[in-house]
Amino acid sequence: MKLPIEIRYRPYQEWSEKEKHQIAANKAKSPWLTTFHLEPQTGLLNDPNGFSFFNGKFHLFYQNWPFGPAHGLKQWVHTESSDLIRFKETGIKLEPDHPHDSHGAYSGSAYAIDDKLFLFYTGNVRDDHWHRTPLQIGAWMTKDGHITKCEQILIEQPDDVTEHFRDPHIFDYQGQFFAIIGAQSLDKKGFIKLYKALNNKVHNWEFVGNLTFGGTGSEYMIECPNLVFIDGYPVLIYSPQGLSKTELDYNNIYPNTYKICQSFDTKKAELRGVSDSQLLDYGFEAYATQAFNAPDGKVYSISWIGLPDIDYPTDPYDYQGAMSLVKELSIKDGKLYQYPVPAMTSLRSTPQPLADLATTTNAYELELEIPANQTSELLLFADEEGRGLSITVDTATGTILVDRSHVGETYATDFGTKRHCSVPASDTKLNIFVDKSIFEIFVNKGEKVFTGRVFPNPDQSGIKQLKGQMSGSYFELVL
């Protein structure tokens, strides 16, 4: 939603309690509020930030402008979880209340150090002429949730980047702290910078080099870079804006991508044995994915279900955006697999055999198997006229097609209403999570993923098998 700058950057303290109440009351009227996905209390939810493990719990912040469905004066809103499926807001916030983040607390990461959680993020600062200076800054959160911001700037804007320099991701590699930051060069090319913490102290960073990762430089900006290590293999996850479609076929306004690498040379700032770019998600909206290596040895990720520069049907209700399910990442046969954490099965009710039915909640999981050498079509959010979200699986050719052109309120149609991917031509397994206005489809236990939003009409709550054979179970999900 387009709102004037003076509204989007109006200081928090100038918003009255009456205005805040009206915004919250309007959001509460939405027919599409989710059941088991994290949404903002009010306003815009976009990037996941500070995803980490600290003091015996998982921590996740989400970036938020609380006064409407637009990008404005951002803060981080803190949530915590014991099981990675129930995230509870704590009331703790990283607010834009310091000269180094005066125009927004932009995206970043977190890492537990000693008895505190270190928050590493970009401070957005603008002058009277609206010129932006991005600052990489930090803060410490104690076990009782008290946040103290570092007074010093940790990394200044380098001479070889534009104002687009943001989203520091801190990670530990072989006992040494490093950070990567998304950047735009002076000639408007996207790239990534690598930094090292001197003496392993996170208040003192040294530039190592511009990261070599086999890119073409066709994008004009790289946002939200992450580097995680799965079974020792470096995996680079990032959001390249403007990436050439000759390098990667995608339909969304901006893709979310990854590369699996063989090794990481920290002295030369080089990822070696780099795969081609791959889509992290084949659906309509998954962006700004944040992943981290957890102390339990697993790698977890979560994404913003939304995209920049897109208007959504929830906008009139003064909110926009949601978080995806948390996924565990693994590598099998050289492919990245993403699958919801095992605790998701605890939300399942008693299974019912797959059948045409009208759900009462539109909050459920389907676990399906489609035999080889056939074409099957399933309709979700179905109505009596045969409209809904169509999922077609051709196991003879190994093609999966998702079509949302006939579900409720349409939007972002400039970017098409269909998405597809290829999988091996064989029997195919699907786990489909539906949550009021969100669907997440996991193919073959995470070999491919489709994430998207739909905004169904009140009568669109059915499940129908239109073609072919499939078997499986229906589970209503209750948080």
Side-chain angles (χ1 to χ4, degrees):
M1 178 179 287
K2 305 299 182 185
L3 293 174
I5 288 176
E6 57 267 24
I7 293 178
R8 292 186 289 114
Y9 287 87
R10 181 181 169 189
Y12 283 24
Q13 62 271 20
E14 292 184 6
W15 291 85
S16 70
E17 290 304 314
K18 180 180 179 181
E19 288 173 311
K20 294 176 186 177
H21 176 76
Q22 289 174 335
I23 292 168
N26 192 32
K27 186 224 172 182
K29 297 175 184 175
S30 170
W32 301 303
L33 298 175
T34 62
T35 300
F36 54 89
H37 284 81
L38 178 63
E39 292 183 295
Q41 290 291 332
T42 59
L44 176 79
L45 175 154
N46 60 311
D47 299 4
N49 293 157
F51 194 23
S52 55
F53 187 83
F54 168 63
N55 194 30
K57 291 185 177 180
F58 293 97
H59 296 259
L60 172 69
F61 295 81
Y62 65 82
Q63 199 173 109
N64 170 243
W65 184 59
F67 305 113
H71 295 267
L73 186 59
K74 300 287 186 65
Q75 64 178 354
W76 287 18
V77 175
H78 178 252
T79 72
E80 62 182 18
S81 175
S82 298
D83 57 11
L84 290 171
I85 59 174
R86 299 170 178 88
F87 284 89
K88 180 181 178 181
E89 290 196 15
T90 64
I92 299 166
K93 296 176 181 178
L94 182 71
E95 296 183 344
D97 57 5
H98 191 280
H100 293 157
D101 58 20
S102 59
H103 289 72
Y106 277 27
S107 290
S109 53
Y111 202 96
I113 300 174
D114 299 326
D115 62 347
K116 296 179 181 178
L117 185 65
F118 175 63
L119 312 179
F120 198 11
Y121 68 106
T122 299
N124 186 38
V125 178
R126 291 185 181 270
D127 62 19
D128 292 341
H129 302 288
W130 210 244
H131 176 267
R132 176 164 55 191
T133 300
L135 306 174
Q136 311 313 315
I137 52 181
W140 295 93
M141 189 176 84
T142 62
K143 292 181 179 179
D144 62 3
H146 180 71
I147 293 178
T148 302
K149 295 184 178 180
C150 303
E151 289 301 320
Q152 74 270 39
I153 298 169
L154 303 184
I155 299 176
E156 299 268 8
Q157 180 181 355
D159 293 335
D160 62 343
V161 303
T162 68
E163 64 178 11
H164 297 290
F165 177 58
R166 55 181 175 269
D167 312 336
H169 180 253
I170 182 173
F171 59 95
D172 180 312
Y173 181 65
Q174 298 180 344
Q176 169 68 52
F177 285 126
F178 291 91
I180 53 175
I181 305 176
Q184 182 186 72
S185 66
L186 298 179
D187 60 351
K188 304 299 194 312
K189 302 291 185 183
F191 68 113
I192 298 171
K193 285 185 169 290
L194 175 68
Y195 291 83
K196 173 183 176 181
L198 286 176
N199 301 316
N200 232 19
K201 303 297 183 183
V202 294
H203 62 269
N204 194 359
W205 293 89
E206 175 184 60
F207 176 60
V208 178
N210 295 332
L211 187 67
T212 300
F213 60 96
T216 64
S218 65
E219 59 273 274
Y220 62 76
M221 175 62 189
I222 289 179
E223 292 193 308
C224 305
N226 293 231
L227 190 58
V228 292
F229 299 87
I230 304 174
D231 298 331
Y233 292 101
V235 178
L236 181 68
I237 298 172
Y238 60 107
S239 298
Q241 295 186 327
L243 183 72
S244 171
K245 293 188 178 181
T246 61
E247 182 172 345
L248 183 66
D249 184 24
Y250 65 95
N251 296 104
N252 296 345
I253 184 172
Y254 307 122
N256 207 171
T257 62
Y258 74 90
K259 292 188 174 190
I260 298 175
C261 313
Q262 298 301 306
S263 62
F264 178 35
D265 187 328
T266 60
K267 293 183 179 179
K268 294 184 178 180
E270 182 178 3
L271 290 168
R272 295 177 174 168
V274 182
S275 72
D276 292 336
S277 294
Q278 303 289 332
L279 282 175
L280 197 65
D281 195 290
Y282 288 80
F284 297 91
E285 43 250 308
Y287 194 72
T289 296
Q290 186 159 100
F292 79 104
N293 283 87
D296 63 5
K298 299 184 184 300
V299 181
Y300 299 109
S301 74
I302 192 167
S303 304
W304 169 28
I305 303 181
L307 283 165
D309 307 321
I310 298 292
D311 293 333
Y312 284 85
T314 58
D315 289 2
Y317 296 97
D318 285 325
Y319 79 105
Q320 186 190 115
M323 286 293 165
S324 73
L325 301 179
V326 174
K327 290 157 282 205
E328 185 178 331
L329 306 185
S330 60
I331 295 176
K332 300 177 185 177
D333 301 323
K335 300 176 183 178
L336 182 68
Y337 278 66
Q338 310 164 70
Y339 197 70
V341 295
M344 277 301 298
T345 59
S346 69
L347 303 187
R348 290 175 170 180
S349 60
T350 302
Q352 301 178 41
L354 177 66
D356 290 0
L357 56 88
T359 73
T360 58
T361 63
N362 254 357
Y364 58 85
E365 178 189 355
L366 295 176
E367 188 166 60
L368 309 176
E369 185 163 353
I370 297 95
N373 298 312
Q374 69 159 22
T375 299
S376 297
E377 184 178 3
L378 182 69
L379 200 65
L380 308 181
F381 303 98
D383 60 20
E384 292 299 325
E385 284 71 43
R387 295 171 299 190
L389 177 74
S390 170
I391 303 169
T392 303
V393 182
D394 186 336
T395 54
T397 62
T399 302
I400 299 174
L401 176 68
V402 179
D403 182 350
R404 70 175 181 187
S405 60
H406 300 293
V407 189
E409 295 195 22
T410 58
Y411 65 99
T413 54
D414 289 349
F415 303 97
T417 59
K418 299 177 181 179
R419 298 290 186 269
H420 72 277
C421 78
S422 297
V423 293
S426 180
D427 57 298
T428 300
K429 295 179 174 63
L430 299 181
N431 285 79
I432 303 172
F433 295 83
V434 166
D435 189 3
K436 299 293 183 65
S437 56
I438 292 172
F439 64 88
E440 297 188 58
I441 304 170
F442 297 88
V443 184
N444 295 332
K445 299 298 182 180
E447 179 183 355
K448 297 288 176 69
V449 182
F450 291 85
T451 302
R453 297 210 74 158
V454 292
F455 299 92
N457 299 324
D459 62 341
Q460 291 187 302
S461 61
I463 299 171
K464 294 183 179 181
Q465 302 174 71
L466 300 184
K467 184 189 302 183
Q469 296 179 342
M470 60 185 74
S471 60
S473 299
Y474 164 93
F475 305 89
E476 185 173 328
L477 299 182
V478 181
L479 191 62

